[in-house]
Every structure is written in C-alpha cells, then in structure tokens.
Amino acid sequence: MIIGAGYAGLSSALLLLKQGWQVTVLEKNDQPGGRARLWEDKGYRFDMGPSWYLMPEVFEHFFESIGTSVADQYQLTKLKTHYQVFFEGLDKVTITDDLERTKALFESFEPGGATQLAAYMDEAQYKYDTALGEFLYREYRTVFDFLNKKVLTKGLTLGIFQTLDKFVGRFFTDRRAKQILEYAMVFLGTSPSHAPALYSIMSHIDLKLGVFFPEGGMNGVARAMADLVTARGGTILYDHEVTALTVAGGRVTEVATVKGQFAADVVLNCADYAWSETQLLEKRWQTYNESYWKKRVLAPSMFLVFLGVNKSLPGLEHHNLYFSADWDKHFDTIFEVPSWPDNPCFYLSAITKTDPTMAPPGCENLFLLVPVAPGLDDTDQFRKVYLDKVLAHVEAVTGIDLLGSVETLRVFGPRDFEADYHAWQGTALGLSHTLFQTAVFRPGHRSRKVKNLWYAGQYTHPGVGVPMTLISSEVVVGEILKAHRGH
Ligand SMILES: Cc1cc2nc3c(=O)[nH]c(=O)nc-3n(C[C@H](O)[C@H](O)[C@H](O)COP(=O)(O)OP(=O)(O)OC[C@H]3O[C@@H](n4cnc5c(N)ncnc54)[C@H](O)[C@@H]3O)c2cc1C
C-alpha cells in the first residue's frame, strides 16, 4: 500500500510492481503528480509545481531499472537557452547550452572570470560524480554510516563542512557571477549561507548537464508514470485521502481513508512526512513527534501565480529569473525574520516558449514563483494586495505590459500547500538542505516504531527535487525488499 501519487509514490509503485508486488496507491487529490499537478483553464494548461527537468541521467536510470526507457515514455527536448537573468540595476543576461559562452560572460563580469569558472566547474563536476556515485543512492541507518572515514575524508574535498557562499566567494567577487552560482539553493529549500558547498553540484547540473523539457511538462512525466502503474497491474485510487493508520503488534494492519478501510501488508508513505507522522499515528507509534518537526529548518513556501496572457511576450525566455541587488534581504524574510518580501527575487516561467500547445494559439502560459517563509499569514485580503504589488514589480523588472492581457489568473500560496498536500506549515519543499538535515540527518526511510511502515519522498534522503525523489524511491524499495523478503 502506497500513500500519495506524487513522484515518490508513483516511482516506488513502479519499482515494486517490477518485483512482482501487488500495489495500491491511495491519493488524496483527483489526479497524479502531487506537487507536479496540472491546472487547466480556458485552454491554458499549467504545470503547478516543478518546471525544470534536470539530471536527465537519473530519469534514464529510473526508467531503465523498471525495464523501459525515457524515449519509450516521453519525448525530451534539450533547451538551447537554459535561462535568462534580470539583475536589479544591471543588464539582463542569458545562459545557454554553450559553456564557452558562459565562460566569456563570466570574463565580462570580472577579469579572470572565465578561468575561475573553469576551475569552479571542475570542482563542481568532481563533487557531482562523487555524490552520484557514492552518496545519493545509498541508505544511511546510523550516524556512523554517514560519518565514516570515506565521508569524513571525501567530505572535506566535497565541501560538506563549508557553506556555499564562502566557497563561491573564493572564486568570484562579482555579484552576478555569485548569484548565478548560488540561486539554485532555493531549489533545495535553503540559502547560500546555510547550504553546504557540496551543493555547488547544482552548477554542474544547470550550466553543464543542461536544462530539458519533457513532452507535456513535468506533469506529463507524472501522468506517463501513472499510466504505466495501471498498465502494469497496479491500482491508483484518487480522492482517497488517508485519515489514520491502525497499528497492532507493532505493524500497520489497516489504512483508513475517507472512502473506507484497506488491509495492509507493507505501507510506504509518500505523503508529507511531518503531517503523516503526527496526524495518522497515535503518539506512541510516532518516530518523530510534533516537537521534532518544530525544531527542523523548513524549506520555503511559495507564492505562485498562474497567468494566461492573450498575447505573445517576446522579451521572455522559457525560464526567467530576477535577482535583487541585496538578495540577503529576501533570504532573511524566509529564514531569519519570516515576513513577505518587499523587493522579491522571483522565477517566471513561460512554458509556451518551448511548448505553444500549453496555451491557446498566440497566447502565453506564465508561472510566477516567489519563495516565501512557511507559516506566513495568507488571508484573501492580504493576497490581493500582495498580488498587485508583485505583478507591478514583474512588469517593472521585465519591461513587459502584462496586466491588460490576462485571461486567467490563479494564486496558490502557503495555505493552499497546507490544504492540498497537508504540507507542514505550508512548506512547498519540505525540509531545508542544511548540513544537519542532509543524508542520515533527514528523517529515516523506515519507522523506528512500526515495523512495516516506510517513508519516501522529498522529506527523506537524498531530498528535495524530482530526481531526488526518484532516488529516494530506489533506496527505500531496495530496503523494503531486503526487510520483507519472501513477501
Ligand atoms: C512550485 C514548485 C516548484 C518546483 N520546482 C521544481 C523543479 O523545477 N524541478 C524539480 O526537480 N523539483 C522542483 N520542485 C520540487 C519537487 O516538485 C518535489 O520535490 C517533488 O515533486 C516531491 O515529490 P513527493 O512525491 O515527495 O511529494 P508530493 O509531490 O507532495 O506527493 C505527495 C502526495 O501525497 C498526497 N497526500 C498527502 N496527504 C495524503 C493523505 N492523507 N492521503 C493520501 N494522499 C495524500 C498529496 O496529495 C500528493 O499527491 C518544485 C516544487 C514546487 C512546489
């Protein structure tokens, strides 16, 4: 029995089906994808969550491990322009798939920038190869599994014990160079001054490995996976919110849903970990109680706006980013003094630049994302004020006149993450990737109190992001197979 039909639930289902297990997935919402859901209105089709398809080899590895391939499941396009960056007070730049061009750009930022970027990228590649080869696809049961000799020696060269902003500062002084190398920390739910330098692997991922677009967007991949679950004999029951887990003799025996009870042999929970532990289990069966979650550093929530615009917007690329001059102020509103940011950094996606079918002909499908602190007040009244402010800000930054051409608009904020996914305090990404929330320090894949209860997904190792959730499923299914041999 799997709870949740997000990427973790669907990938785990496929891995277990491949081993001949009988699988039922219980999902609260009415469609697959979890945070990668789809919202359709007036001919616009919005990817509600992830939009960057990164680390293609992880997807390839996953589909091969279930006996198929990416090419058999969906078409993948490599983007020529990875993204465009608007810098406050400075000219905008584009990052392309041509690394030599990116080096020349860095040289234009500061003398020696090209050589420095080459050196930085060599280190990032080394870290990426080591992380993928030795750290990500493995289970950490105790702190000693993590703090072994290899990690301690390699950890130094991998930059586990140093922060990313210090590491980047060794190479560059120019603000633009630093921001391009650090922005992706938001993808990991952290800030450059809290993230271990290990996460410079993100620059290898986005500058070198490339940015891709799957047919139908990220929701398209989730739908392809859901279809495969059904085609291979699994069952996905939508609108089946799980309301309680009955434990007897240290095992889950029954899963209660809004539509009835299900007997269970093994339960793999891929729904939000914090909510599940504190709400589905009696206190005595909780490995991580409420006070544990209160002490965690949560990843940001998000203020999202989906906009259908009935004209073409030539000034935008598929992926667009805006970095304010003093972005620490924005990070502080997320991690230090929770509040709504005044001059927010933002991400603006125009999926129609690559796939015009996501909107009616001649129109653009926009997705605006402002990372904000979890747990903020998110009332109707405040939303309206903040929405007007943010849209005026986007128009000023991009020089694009949007407001007169909006055909459809939907805001999705912290309170929606809580209501739709049971996200703890409305966090969009679960737990932040600080050093003490990495690997063994993330909540475990197996309950320590309930023998047949397991967890996968973004709260667990290796963490946040679609590729990471695929890896978490692979790790946890490996452990389930070992623990429940002969099932
Ligand atoms: C706006 C946004 C943008 C992002 N951008 C990117 C990106 O560009 N690239 C990238 O790789 N990653 C990105 N991410 C992160 C990525 O989407 C997530 O890390 C990943 O999708 C998490 O998958 P999951 O299966 O762990 O959780 P989820 O997708 O949240 O799936 C959990 C599922 O459990 C269900 N559920 C919850 N409670 C219950 C219950 N009681 N009973 C039954 N079902 C329940 C939920 O409805 C949900 O379907 C983004 C995330 C967000 C929110």
Side-chain angles (χ1 to χ4, degrees):
M1 189 74 60
I2 293 179
I3 307 175
Y7 267 98
L10 295 169
S11 52
S12 300
L14 287 166
L15 289 162
L16 287 165
L17 284 165
K18 177 82 177 124
Q19 298 300 320
W21 283 43
Q22 265 182 10
V23 178
T24 299
V25 184
L26 301 169
E27 167 56 48
K28 169 181 185 293
N29 292 321
D30 62 359
Q31 52 164 304
R35 276 149 164 95
R37 274 192 303 161
L38 185 76
W39 177 58
E40 294 187 73
D41 194 45
K42 299 183 182 149
Y44 294 87
R45 292 166 56 231
F46 295 93
D47 242 342
M48 290 182 70
S51 50
W52 299 63
Y53 185 106
L54 300 169
M55 302 177 76
E57 63 195 298
V58 171
F59 291 83
E60 204 57 71
H61 175 83
F62 168 75
F63 282 104
E64 275 169 19
S65 67
I66 56 160
T68 176
S69 67
V70 164
D72 279 345
Q73 298 306 319
Y74 50 91
Q75 199 188 325
L76 197 59
T77 308
K78 190 168 194 287
L79 300 189
K80 287 227 155 299
T81 299
H82 290 180
Y83 50 92
Q84 168 170 246
V85 186
F86 295 88
F87 293 103
E88 183 176 18
L90 296 168
D91 288 344
K92 64 180 181 181
V93 304
T94 48
I95 301 293
T96 67
D97 62 347
D98 180 350
L99 192 54
E100 291 311 310
R101 236 180 104 177
T102 309
K103 284 184 196 157
L105 183 68
F106 274 58
E107 189 66 36
S108 77
F109 292 158
E110 62 183 76
T115 318
Q116 288 297 86
L117 183 62
Y120 186 89
M121 293 301 290
D122 283 349
E123 286 213 29
Q125 169 145 19
Y126 166 77
K127 287 175 186 166
Y128 178 82
D129 291 343
T130 313
L132 207 62
E134 299 186 28
F135 290 91
L136 297 180
Y137 282 96
R138 57 165 295 186
E139 175 69 331
Y140 297 93
R141 281 195 203 88
T142 69
V143 98
F144 301 106
D145 282 348
F146 182 59
L147 294 178
N148 59 24
K149 199 166 157 215
K150 202 172 194 178
V151 174
L152 286 175
T153 46
K154 287 217 166 164
L156 291 174
T157 48
L158 287 176
I160 286 176
F161 306 111
Q162 187 187 10
T163 64
L164 183 74
D165 68 333
K166 289 229 165 65
F167 179 68
V168 172
R170 273 179 32 209
F171 291 82
F172 301 98
T173 52
D174 184 85
R175 156 163 76 99
R176 291 160 297 181
K178 286 175 159 177
Q179 289 187 322
I180 289 172
L181 298 173
E182 293 179 354
Y183 81 92
M185 292 312 101
V186 176
F187 286 173
L188 299 172
T190 184
S191 73
S193 56
H194 290 105
L198 165 70
Y199 293 124
S200 62
I201 62 174
M202 291 305 290
S203 296
H204 176 68
I205 292 169
D206 84 338
L207 296 180
K208 194 156 175 197
L209 295 180
V211 181
F212 295 76
F213 179 74
E215 182 186 355
M218 295 301 280
N219 174 260
V221 178
R223 277 175 197 265
M225 288 166 68
D227 289 347
L228 210 50
V229 169
T230 316
R232 292 184 171 189
T235 305
I236 307 178
L237 299 173
Y238 297 108
D239 299 314
H240 274 67
E241 176 173 357
V242 173
T243 51
L245 299 176
T246 308
V247 181
R251 302 177 68 83
V252 182
T253 51
E254 227 170 36
V255 179
T257 76
V258 288
K259 299 216 169 141
Q261 313 273 343
F262 293 80
D265 250 354
V266 176
V267 175
L268 173 53
N269 191 344
C270 301
D272 270 55
Y273 205 141
W275 184 87
S276 303
E277 276 272 300
T278 55
Q279 305 302 312
L280 296 180
L281 290 166
E282 278 177 47
K283 275 210 171 70
R284 65 190 164 130
W285 300 119
Q286 297 171 5
T287 305
Y288 306 103
N289 59 18
E290 199 161 327
S291 77
Y292 167 90
W293 296 106
K294 282 188 177 152
K295 288 186 206 132
R296 298 305 98 186
V297 182
L298 293 184
S301 184
M302 293 172 180
F303 183 80
L304 304 177
V305 189
F306 310 113
L307 286 158
V309 175
N310 66 5
K311 67 178 180 187
S312 165
L313 302 172
L316 294 180
E317 299 289 345
H318 184 149
H319 299 291
N320 307 272
L321 298 155
Y322 163 71
F323 303 144
S324 56
D326 182 2
W327 73 355
D328 285 345
K329 273 196 182 146
H330 187 158
F331 282 115
D332 285 351
T333 65
I334 303 174
F335 297 104
E336 307 298 332
V337 188
S339 51
W340 292 87
D342 258 343
N343 172 15
C345 299
F346 62 78
Y347 162 60
L348 181 66
S349 158
I351 197 172
T352 24
K353 296 293 176 201
T354 305
D355 183 356
T357 68
M358 301 296 274
C363 303
E364 303 274 17
N365 169 323
L366 304 183
F367 165 99
L368 174 67
L369 184 164
V370 176
V372 299
L376 288 180
D377 256 3
D378 179 15
T379 59
D380 279 350
Q381 211 180 5
F382 179 77
R383 265 191 187 190
K384 196 176 163 346
V385 175
Y386 198 66
L387 175 68
D388 291 347
K389 180 171 166 165
V390 166
L391 292 183
H393 175 58
V394 171
E395 284 192 325
V397 166
T398 59
I400 291 170
D401 166 26
L402 281 177
L403 294 177
S405 314
V406 173
E407 274 195 323
T408 183
L409 183 153
R410 176 176 175 189
V411 174
F412 193 93
R415 70 169 195 239
D416 302 301
F417 280 99
E418 217 167 327
D420 287 12
Y421 310 118
H422 288 314
W424 182 257
Q425 295 202 24
T427 168
L429 302 172
L431 293 181
S432 173
H433 274 267
T434 58
L435 170 58
F436 287 106
Q437 292 183 177
T438 291
V440 71
F441 302 118
R442 292 186 86 76
H445 286 131
R446 187 176 198 177
S447 162
R448 276 191 247 123
K449 305 212 167 149
V450 185
K451 282 195 201 80
N452 60 346
L453 177 60
W454 299 80
Y455 291 92
Q458 64 179 1
Y459 283 73
T460 67
H461 169 75
V464 178
V466 173
M468 297 301 124
T469 59
L470 298 181
I471 296 175
S472 91
S473 299
E474 221 168 305
V475 173
V476 81
V477 167
E479 294 299 306
I480 288 177
L481 294 174
K482 277 189 244 160
H484 303 277
R485 258 185 252 274
H487 170 89

